Amino acid sequence: MTSGLWELVLTGIWTTVQLLVFSALLSAAVSFAVGMARTHRLWIVRFVAGFYTEVFRGTSALVMIFFIFFVLPVAFGWQLVPMWAATLALGLTYGAYGSEIVRGALNAVEPAQKEGGIALSLTPWQRMRLVVLPQAVPEMIPSFSNLLVELLKGTALVSVMGMGDLTFSANLVRLALQQSAEIYTYVLLIYFAIAFVLTRLMRALEKRLKAGVGKDTGTFSATRELKRAQTTGVGGRVA
């Protein structure tokens, strides 16, 4: 390929990376907000969060891109630039999947841990921030890693609205050179390289988060001591 065509591909890679970062940030925010709402004590909050999850999880990401980019301008009279329309569509769609990851991890935390927070007179937000999330987040990382790779592959959908991502740029190069096998082999390798880097970063993050979190191995446990104090009436630790 000529330098001009390589520059076109590199521009497409940069656009894909930008879209991935923006969509991942929005998806993470939606995942935690909706996932935590799914475990809220008020049924109306759980209902709204569940309704959102079912709607966006049950619709096509491609159709959602079309809806936000082509339907909303007609319905409401305002137009998003392609980058933000794609970010909104992908972030909301994959955020619905991520919310189930968050909900499952929060519910997997042992009830005794939450009861220990109650015994310490922590507010619901303090229990969530200090007790539940530090134990639940490390368990979310493997699933979020898979979802992030799926999001990377989902960014290729934005090529249908003429956005100059990697897939769209590669198709232009293919039309110019008439070399489908070579061009799409390059594209597959580029997507694989980005996904490989993402999975390694997520694995390192998982290892770091799990470094200070583990099962009780016989060492001092605040929850165990609280339960022993409640049953025996003795509050101190004995040697």
Side-chain angles (χ1 to χ4, degrees), residues 4-53:
L5 293 178
W6 273 115
E7 183 178 350
L8 181 62
V9 173
L10 291 176
T11 301
I13 295 173
W14 174 238
T15 301
T16 294
V17 171
Q18 283 183 296
L19 179 59
L20 175 64
V21 172
F22 294 147
S23 300
L25 291 175
L26 177 59
S27 178
V30 170
S31 297
F32 277 92
V34 177
M36 292 167 65
R38 293 291 302 275
T39 64
H40 201 275
R41 64 182 184 275
L42 296 179
W43 73 269
I44 186 62
V45 177
R46 296 195 304 270
F47 174 80
V48 172
F51 179 77
Y52 163 83
T53 300

Side-chain angles (χ1 to χ4, degrees), residues 136-150:
V137 169
E139 303 303 324
M140 303 175 192
I141 299 302
S143 298
F144 270 130
S145 179
N146 290 334
L147 190 62
L148 187 59
V149 173
E150 288 297 322

Side-chain angles (χ1 to χ4, degrees), residues 126-141:
Q126 288 176 324
R127 293 197 299 272
M128 179 65 70
R129 181 171 59 89
L130 300 175
V131 178
V132 179
L133 283 178
Q135 298 178 71
V137 169
E139 303 303 324
M140 303 175 192
I141 299 302

Side-chain angles (χ1 to χ4, degrees), residues 24-110:
L25 291 175
L26 177 59
S27 178
V30 170
S31 297
F32 277 92
V34 177
M36 292 167 65
R38 293 291 302 275
T39 64
H40 201 275
R41 64 182 184 275
L42 296 179
W43 73 269
I44 186 62
V45 177
R46 296 195 304 270
F47 174 80
V48 172
F51 179 77
Y52 163 83
T53 300
E54 294 301 326
V55 168
F56 280 88
R57 191 175 56 176
T59 54
S60 167
L62 179 59
V63 175
M64 189 61 64
I65 290 173
F66 282 142
F67 185 86
I68 291 177
F69 191 65
F70 294 110
V71 176
L72 288 185
V74 176
F76 298 99
W78 51 269
Q79 175 77 62
L80 290 173
V81 297
M83 174 63 78
W84 300 124
T87 298
L88 187 61
L90 293 176
L92 293 177
T93 300
Y94 285 89
Y97 291 101
S99 67
E100 284 297 282
I101 297 174
V102 174
R103 183 188 64 83
L106 294 178
N107 287 336
V109 176
E110 296 180 3

